[in-house]
Amino acid sequence: MDKEQPTTSTNAAQAKDQDHNPLLDSPMRGPTLSTSTSSFEALAHAHDPNLTKLATKMFQKTEEYITHELNAPLEDYKLLEEMNKATIAKYKDMRQIAENLNVSTNELCVKFQQLAPLMQQIDEISDTVDKLEAAAYKLDAYSIALENRVKCVLQRKSSHHVG
């Protein structure tokens, strides 16, 4: 069976003593609401002024150190964020360039396909021209040979008339 705890002022005092942490007590003023474990109190008059000044300076330097230590990763993350933004922009540019190249390549492919029959005709004409050129050389050679024969015949006729 459940035991019910009586609610007496003794139990409240015991609970208060269990929650009490002597590390949170100020040496000058007793328990405080602060969670600081420092025994330094800025308004304490029992301390040496030089010690107070040095302690204050130490806390300021400690604060600066901790602030810089905490800000360093933050700056790293900011740098990474800027680098990521720059990378995203570069990739967007590269994507646009790739898309433009794809469009241009497709257009060139279509133009090549349209020009393929014309290039075939050009090849056929070139072959015909080569054949005509060969025929022209043969004709030229034949005409030179014929001319030489005619000259030879004419020279024989003229040498027979003279003699």
Side-chain angles (χ1 to χ4, degrees):
M1 301 221 162
D2 292 337
K3 287 187 175 181
E4 292 186 25
Q5 294 185 355
T7 55
T8 62
S9 61
T10 309
N11 284 344
Q14 287 175 350
K16 186 176 181 183
D17 285 344
Q18 288 174 353
D19 291 338
H20 178 69
N21 186 347
L23 293 176
L24 299 179
D25 290 349
S26 168
M28 299 300 289
R29 292 187 231 153
T32 64
L33 295 177
S34 169
T35 58
S36 171
T37 57
S38 170
S39 63
F40 173 73
E41 296 292 331
L43 301 175
H45 298 289
H47 292 291
D48 178 16
N50 191 33
L51 181 62
T52 302
K53 181 180 175 184
L54 290 173
T56 302
K57 188 173 184 178
M58 179 194 71
F59 284 122
Q60 289 171 347
K61 295 295 182 182
T62 303
E63 176 192 8
E64 289 176 17
Y65 172 77
I66 291 172
T67 300
H68 289 296
E69 284 296 313
L70 293 175
N71 284 337
L74 181 63
E75 293 299 321
D76 289 345
Y77 285 121
K78 286 180 183 178
L79 177 62
L80 281 173
E81 181 180 10
E82 292 301 316
M83 289 171 63
N84 284 340
K85 287 178 182 177
T87 303
I88 288 169
K90 282 288 182 185
Y91 276 116
K92 282 182 181 178
D93 292 344
M94 289 171 59
R95 178 181 176 193
Q96 186 63 44
I97 290 170
E99 288 174 356
N100 291 343
L101 284 173
N102 189 31
V103 168
S104 297
T105 303
N106 289 337
E107 289 174 357
L108 285 174
C109 186
V110 167
K111 287 179 182 179
F112 179 78
Q113 289 172 352
Q114 290 172 346
L115 291 175
L118 297 175
M119 290 189 299
Q120 179 65 32
Q121 288 178 355
I122 290 171
D123 288 342
E124 291 171 1
I125 291 171
S126 177
D127 290 342
T128 304
V129 167
D130 289 343
K131 289 176 185 176
L132 282 173
E133 185 179 16
Y137 281 126
K138 285 182 182 179
L139 184 61
D140 188 43
Y142 179 75
S143 66
I144 290 173
L146 188 60
E147 181 182 1
N148 287 337
R149 279 187 193 167
V150 169
K151 284 182 184 177
C152 195
V153 170
L154 289 176
Q155 280 179 356
R156 279 189 212 161
K157 265 189 176 185
S158 56
S159 62
H160 277 304
H161 284 267
V162 176

